[in-house]
């Protein structure tokens, strides 16, 4: 957790220092993902760690549990929807950039704002306003969830719309992007498209594949019981995958550090400077002890 936070802070400092890095349209969705994941790591993940360490939620009250459920669900869904939208947006940025740039407010800024507002409003309605009786368990993460999840229609709508759909959309959009880029790379008159957009393809494909690896098992464990009754998938989802999903926010900064060349080069330069300072300090501490020894043998 601490290395992840340090990596987040370093990446944010590079975005603040470099206006060019911040202005690039293809970096906006990556920055949005980083911000949401960072907020989750420093504010929501500690609540889960408290339960794992003590066996009880941080504050044993229904008000706190309502807040935690809304907060937890919203952060995860915002991250997934940003990832899905980023895959679709990257496709249009590469192959239809001129048309996309003409409607930036409609196709870029409004979706980013909408996907930030929609999940909290939805879960506030489902968790706080929806009239069902919730019995919270103060020994489970997010107090064992909200009551609407145990109603088949609402639970199915939530999982299918807010979890399964973004994951499937990310898979389809990423696959289409990679396939089309590879096809055009083989065409002599369109190889320039690959050279110009190679970094953009690698960036989002790497991050989206990480999200897919983390979230596809959860989708499978949800879909399997709908087709064939399987208590095992439910046990795996409840006992393991609920914690496995946190890897998306913990690994996100390291993946971004790898795929963003400007930040990666800054990190290498900083690492080289630290090594030089360490070596110079080491040499300065060695010399005073060596000089008297040489003098005595002089």
């Amino acid at each position: 957790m601490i290395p992840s936070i340090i990596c987040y802070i370093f990446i944010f400092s590079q975005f603040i220092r470099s206006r060019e890095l911040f202005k690039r349209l293809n970096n906006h969705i990556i920055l949005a993902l980083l911000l949401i994941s960072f907020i989750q790591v420093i504010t929501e993940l500690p609540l889960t760690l408290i339960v794992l360490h003590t066996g009880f939620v941080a504050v044993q009250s229904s008000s706190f549990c309502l807040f935690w459920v809304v907060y937890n669900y919203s952060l995860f869904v915002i991250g997934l929807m940003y990832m899905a939208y980023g895959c679709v947006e990257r496709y249009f940025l590469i192959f239809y950039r001129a048309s996309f740039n003409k409607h930036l407010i409609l196709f870029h800024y409004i979706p980013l704002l909408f996907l930030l507002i929609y999940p909290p409003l939805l879960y506030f309605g489902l968790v706080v306003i929806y009239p069902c009786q919730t019995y919270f368990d103060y020994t489970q993460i997010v107090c064992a969830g909200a009551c609407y999840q145990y109603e088949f229609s609402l639970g199915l709508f939530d999982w299918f719309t807010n979890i399964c759909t973004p994951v499937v959309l990310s898979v389809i959009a990423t696959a289409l992007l990679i396939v089309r880029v590879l096809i055009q790379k083989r065409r002599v008159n369109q190889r320039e498209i690959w050279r110009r957009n190679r970094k953009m393809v690698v960036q989002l494909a790497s991050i989206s594949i990480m999200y897919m690896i983390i979230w596809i098992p959860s989708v499978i464990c949800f879909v399997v019981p709908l087709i064939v009754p399987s208590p095992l998938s439910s046990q795996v989802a409840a006992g393991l995958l609920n914690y496995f999903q946190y890897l998306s926010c913990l690994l996100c900064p390291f993946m971004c550090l790898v795929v963003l060349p400007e930040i990666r080069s800054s990190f290498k330069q900083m690492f080289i400077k630290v090594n030089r300072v360490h070596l110079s300090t080491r040499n300065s501490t060695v010399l005073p002890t060596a000089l008297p020894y040489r003098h005595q043998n002089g």
Side-chain angles (χ1 to χ4, degrees), residues 8 30 45 57 74 77 83 92 111 114 132-133 154 162 164 174 186 194 216 233 236 250 252 283 291:
Y8 273 117
I30 294 177
L45 178 56
V57 300
S74 297
V77 170
M83 187 70 259
F92 285 95
F114 173 77
C132 65
Q133 185 62 44
L154 283 178
N162 302 313
C164 296
T174 302
R186 295 181 179 181
W194 164 251
I216 285 178
S233 63
V236 170
L250 289 172
C252 186
N283 292 334
L291 287 174

Side-chain angles (χ1 to χ4, degrees), residues 90-201:
R90 192 62 55 102
Y91 182 89
F92 285 95
L93 280 175
I94 292 176
F95 299 109
Y96 305 99
R97 191 175 188 106
S99 300
F100 190 88
N101 287 339
K102 292 180 181 179
H103 307 282
L104 277 181
I105 295 178
L106 180 61
F107 293 143
H108 182 70
Y109 294 107
I110 289 180
L112 288 177
L113 182 61
F114 173 77
L115 295 178
L116 181 65
I117 297 174
Y118 161 72
L121 292 179
L122 172 69
Y123 288 115
F124 181 82
L126 290 175
V127 176
V128 179
I129 298 177
Y130 184 73
C132 65
Q133 185 62 44
T134 301
Y135 298 95
F136 291 118
D137 184 350
Y138 298 138
T139 64
Q140 302 292 327
I141 63 169
V142 291
C143 305
C147 58
Y148 81 89
Q149 294 175 281
Y150 301 99
E151 297 188 11
F152 180 77
S153 58
L154 283 178
L156 182 63
F157 163 78
D158 180 30
W159 255 95
F160 180 78
T161 304
N162 302 313
I163 304 296
C164 296
T165 299
V167 173
V168 172
L169 188 60
S170 297
V171 173
I172 295 174
T174 302
L176 286 175
L177 175 63
I178 294 174
V179 169
R180 182 165 179 181
V181 167
L182 290 178
I183 291 174
Q184 293 196 339
K185 181 184 175 182
R186 295 181 179 181
R187 298 176 182 175
V188 177
N189 58 340
Q190 293 187 350
R191 287 180 182 175
E192 184 61 28
I193 295 178
W194 164 251
R195 295 191 187 96
R196 188 172 61 248
N197 300 293
R198 179 176 54 189
K199 292 180 181 179
M200 292 175 60
V201 175

